[in-house]
Amino acid sequence: DIQMTQSPSTLAASVGDRVSITCRASQSIGTWLAWYQQKPGKAPKLLMYKASTLGSGVPSRFSGSGSGTEFTLTISSLQPDDFATYYCQQFNSYSRYGFGQGTKLEI
Amino acid sequence: QVVESGGGLVQTGGSLRLSCAASGFSVSSFEMNWLRQAPGKGLEWVSHISYSGRAIYYASSVKGRFLISKDNAENAVHLLIDSLRAEDTAIYYCARELHNAFDVWGQGTMVTVGS
């Protein structure tokens, strides 16, 4: 199976900061990488798919980049609503889908 | 949107049938998936069914115990979960698939496995 490793596991930041979260795949996945935001007690929300395509209704302060084995989610200017846990997710035709362990973004 | 139902408390070794009712789109036109999240843990993909229902996949942790199906007349997807173990305790989410990502999620249904 392809392993997904997110870093950092926890990130402390302030409103207005620019932050980045990295996701590394154990094998190349092309650009089959998605990012989700999850708040406590809620279902995940799709932020980005195909590594850099913004999900429907997602603010433009979110951006994604990368291909192959290394990917980055960047939030250009943190807003209070952005404090949550973020997950990356890969797709491959063998084991199908897998998630990173999550990054908790806190104040 | 999608709305899950059917969760509950079940004994080890028991079974449950989870349902996912879709509205605003037709499940016959989309790939659909079940995912789960154990309490305080991360996300785990469980099963996939293609738009036609002909291609079905399972995570290795549930293969042989879970069965996904689709009912186009009901516009719903079901997950029969059998031989339940403590480690199957989780919130089970139904999600629509878009470009190999999950773009529409339900609120989830809780499955608790206990003796």
Side-chain angles (χ1 to χ4, degrees), chain B residues 3 20 23 31 37 40-41 49 60-61 73 82 93 98 104 115:
Chain B
V3 178
C20 167
S23 59
E31 324 263 303
Q37 187 169 34
K41 302 297 184 182
I49 186 165
S60 55
S61 57
D82 197 13
Y93 293 103
L98 172 71
V104 176
S115 55

Side-chain angles (χ1 to χ4, degrees), chain A residues 32 36 38 43 49 87 89 97, chain B residues 37 48 97 99-100 102 106:
Chain A
W32 292 122
Y36 301 86
Q38 187 178 32
Y49 61 94
Y87 293 94
Q89 172 248 315
Y97 315 87
Chain B
Q37 187 169 34
H48 164 105
E97 186 172 327
H99 299 298
N100 297 319
F102 309 114

Side-chain angles (χ1 to χ4, degrees), chain A residues 70-105:
Chain A
E70 188 154 337
F71 303 86
T72 302
L73 174 71
T74 299
I75 309 172
S76 61
S77 178
L78 272 174
Q79 299 302 301
D81 191 50
D82 299 339
F83 292 94
T85 298
Y86 293 82
Y87 293 94
C88 62
Q89 172 248 315
Q90 60 84 17
F91 168 81
N92 72 92
S93 56
Y94 299 101
S95 57
R96 305 305 291 184
Y97 315 87
F99 288 87
Q101 80 279 13
T103 294
K104 186 175 182 180
L105 178 55

Side-chain angles (χ1 to χ4, degrees), chain B residues 3-20:
Chain B
V3 178
E4 304 93 336
S5 61
L9 174 63
V10 61
Q11 289 190 333
T12 302
S15 62
L16 279 175
R17 185 177 186 246
L18 307 183
S19 295
C20 167

Side-chain angles (χ1 to χ4, degrees), chain A residues 14-69:
Chain A
S14 301
V15 172
D17 284 354
R18 178 184 179 90
V19 298
S20 293
I21 300 169
T22 298
C23 186
R24 289 187 173 86
S26 58
Q27 299 174 43
S28 177
I29 55 171
T31 56
W32 292 122
L33 192 285
W35 290 97
Y36 301 86
Q37 177 193 68
Q38 187 178 32
K39 296 181 180 179
K42 301 293 186 182
K45 173 187 175 183
L46 177 66
L47 296 176
M48 205 80 55
Y49 61 94
K50 287 172 70 175
S52 60
T53 301
L54 212 57
S56 176
V58 176
S60 58
R61 63 180 180 273
F62 291 90
S63 63
S65 64
S67 65
T69 61

Side-chain angles (χ1 to χ4, degrees), chain B residues 16-75:
Chain B
L16 279 175
R17 185 177 186 246
L18 307 183
S19 295
C20 167
S23 59
F25 69 95
S26 173
V27 299
S28 62
S29 300
F30 286 88
E31 324 263 303
M32 298 294 295
N33 293 264
W34 286 95
L35 303 97
R36 68 184 181 183
Q37 187 169 34
K41 302 297 184 182
L43 297 165
E44 180 187 16
W45 168 76
V46 172
S47 183
H48 164 105
I49 186 165
S50 67
Y51 69 95
S52 66
R54 285 196 287 266
I56 286 175
Y57 303 97
Y58 298 98
S60 55
S61 57
V62 306
K63 196 175 292 184
R65 300 188 299 121
F66 287 17
L67 182 69
I68 192 171
S69 61
K70 181 184 286 192
D71 188 326
N72 292 335
E74 288 184 359
N75 205 28

